[in-house]
Amino acid sequence: MAGIFAAPALPNVQISREIDAASATFFTIWIGVVGVIAYMFLPLVVGGLADEYGYSSEQLGFIGAAEAGGMGLANALAIFWMRRANWRSIILLSAFGMILANLGSAYVTDFNFMFVLRLLDGLAGGTLIAISVACQSDNKNADKVFGYFIALEMLASAVGFLILPSVVAGYGIKAIFLALAMLSVTGLACAFVHPRRGLNRNDQMNVEKRVGASLLISIIALTGALLFFMSQGGLWTFIERIAAASQLDPQWVGVALSVSSLCGIAGALGAGKAVALLGRSKVFIFVLVGEMICIALLLGTVGPIQYFAAVSLFIFFWSMGLPLLLTQFNNIDGSGHLVVLLYAMGKLGYTLGPAVMGLLVVGADFTSVLMFGAAVCALGLAVSIGLELYAGRTPGDNAV
């Protein structure tokens, strides 16, 4: 078994050539999309579990926490095996795990069983994300690849939100889980063509890339990311429930979420151009202002157009912030560990956010959820802005 999971020892030059190939770039981006897509559809899952099975707000928060928590735990554990394991073998096992978890979720109704299955799905998906992000960070054009990853994620999400609401209306919540299981099958195919391993970051050929991040700076950066992801995760979990509280038509909500994902593509791909023009610190400020506006739009009774605008802005700025953070972390630490830990911290935030905000819901009133989300989002982005100013980067430097 050791031979199956051990990655072959190859020179970094040969590994780089394999990772930088266009086909490898697509495959590594796609397994990341497969790993994260269940979380992107979490609003539909939450809505379906509430409507069909009568799960409470607290239970819905813990379902979201299980999905994200599993991802975060898998990301954190990845730093111990990422540079030694055979990526193809791990992808194969993880894809099988996701298939089983989603098939099981389609046929259980009990909260405890559902919680365990979503945790398993999160663990498997988080492993795929860790491999994807590590491989992306090894790419010679990592900054651009990060943006492509978020953009493809948003495109897959847009297609899903456009199609799945009608499917769920006809076949129920199990339709989402079956769709996720089928999507996971594509991960099996990627296992046979994905690069087997990443760069040896300790190799002397890469000594110029190893920028040592101090422990204090790393902790500060990870804390800021945690706060940002707490806000995004909590708000995303209840974004569909906020619409239901205002009695918006479910089909309209599906359309709004689908279009918002397209806005996410614009945010992800536009991040690099914005940084080149303004510098990363100013773009982080732009994201902060945008987040506050979209949260304000969700306060009180929300009309259809208002909700449409709010979720579109929310995903646009969320998607713009992600590649900014990925590149910031890749610049802080050239070992490749911190950028993987960013996703671990992100999933921890996605875990804590829904769990905490689920406790703040008062009946159909989400005011406390929105105010808490605004506060932690502002604090998290303030940390990112502070790190950029501390680093003293000039506009356009280290652009995404």
Side-chain angles (χ1 to χ4, degrees):
M1 291 296 288
I4 296 176
F5 292 100
L10 299 172
N12 270 349
V13 172
Q14 184 176 344
I15 295 172
S16 293
R17 191 179 300 118
E18 184 179 5
I19 288 176
D20 293 340
S23 58
T25 300
F26 172 77
F27 290 131
T28 200
I29 288 175
W30 183 249
I31 65 163
V33 172
V34 172
V36 78
I37 200 66
Y39 189 82
M40 295 306 298
F41 292 147
L42 191 58
L44 295 181
V45 171
V46 165
L49 293 176
D51 294 338
E52 291 188 39
Y53 303 154
Y55 285 9
S56 67
S57 294
E58 290 80 4
Q59 288 177 320
L60 296 174
F62 282 115
I63 289 294
E67 192 83 53
M71 290 181 179
L73 179 59
N75 292 158
L77 293 175
I79 65 173
F80 297 107
W81 55 262
M82 183 59 63
R83 298 295 166 182
R84 297 189 300 273
N86 186 324
W87 285 352
R88 290 184 179 181
S89 299
I90 302 299
I91 291 170
L92 191 65
L93 286 177
S94 299
F96 270 123
M98 292 187 70
I99 292 170
L100 293 175
N102 285 299
L103 286 177
S105 297
Y107 295 100
V108 303
T109 60
D110 179 76
F111 168 75
N112 294 319
F113 283 127
M114 185 67 72
F115 180 89
V116 171
L117 288 169
R118 299 327 299 163
L119 178 62
L120 173 60
D121 185 73
L123 287 167
T127 301
L128 292 183
I129 294 168
I131 292 174
S132 177
V133 171
C135 193
Q136 289 175 54
S137 73
D138 286 349
N139 193 291
K140 67 179 180 181
N141 296 313
D143 297 347
K144 293 181 179 179
V145 175
F146 288 145
Y148 298 152
F149 170 44
I150 304 302
L152 185 57
E153 178 185 325
M154 291 297 106
L155 178 59
S157 178
V159 173
F161 279 124
L162 191 62
I163 297 173
L164 285 178
S166 297
V167 176
V168 171
Y171 299 97
I173 183 65
K174 73 163 53 176
I176 296 180
F177 294 128
L178 292 176
L180 292 173
M182 288 187 289
L183 184 66
S184 301
V185 172
T186 65
L188 297 179
C190 290
F192 297 99
V193 292
H194 191 277
R196 291 180 174 84
R197 62 162 296 160
L199 296 176
N200 178 5
R201 294 294 186 118
N202 293 320
D203 193 288
Q204 290 300 313
M205 295 175 61
N206 291 303
V207 69
E208 73 278 2
K209 294 184 180 180
R210 296 202 309 272
V211 181
S214 72
L215 179 61
L216 179 60
I217 292 296
S218 297
I219 291 174
I220 291 173
L222 289 169
T223 300
L226 172 65
L227 294 172
F228 176 74
F229 287 120
M230 278 184 66
S231 69
Q232 305 306 285
L235 293 173
W236 184 242
T237 298
F238 292 104
I239 201 78
E240 187 273 344
R241 291 290 87 189
I242 292 173
S246 293
Q247 299 182 335
L248 298 183
D249 180 70
Q251 293 300 315
W252 173 256
V253 173
V255 171
L257 292 174
S258 177
V259 173
S260 74
S261 297
L262 297 177
C263 293
I265 298 174
L269 297 180
K273 296 183 182 299
V275 170
L277 291 173
L278 304 172
R280 190 169 293 106
S281 60
K282 291 183 180 178
V283 181
F284 269 124
I285 294 172
F286 178 60
V287 171
L288 172 57
V289 173
E291 289 273 356
M292 296 303 103
I293 291 174
C294 71
I295 291 173
L297 287 173
L298 292 171
L299 289 168
T301 301
V302 183
I305 302 302
Q306 185 178 345
Y307 182 81
F308 186 95
V311 295
S312 296
L313 287 173
F314 179 70
I315 298 299
F316 176 86
F317 289 110
W318 185 0
S319 301
M320 179 170 282
L322 283 173
L324 294 177
L325 285 170
L326 283 165
T327 303
Q328 183 181 65
F329 274 57
N330 211 31
N331 290 339
I332 289 174
D333 175 34
S335 73
H337 289 154
L338 196 62
V339 72
V340 175
L341 281 178
L342 167 64
Y343 260 81
M345 194 59 66
K347 296 310 179 292
L348 176 59
Y350 290 160
T351 302
L352 294 176
V356 172
M357 294 188 192
L359 298 175
L360 296 177
V361 179
V362 180
D365 185 1
F366 291 87
T367 301
S368 296
V369 168
L370 293 166
M371 297 304 293
F372 179 82
V376 293
C377 179
L379 287 173
L381 289 174
V383 170
S384 298
I385 294 167
L387 288 173
E388 289 298 321
L389 296 176
Y390 175 76
R393 294 190 176 94
T394 56
D397 185 31
N398 293 319
V400 172

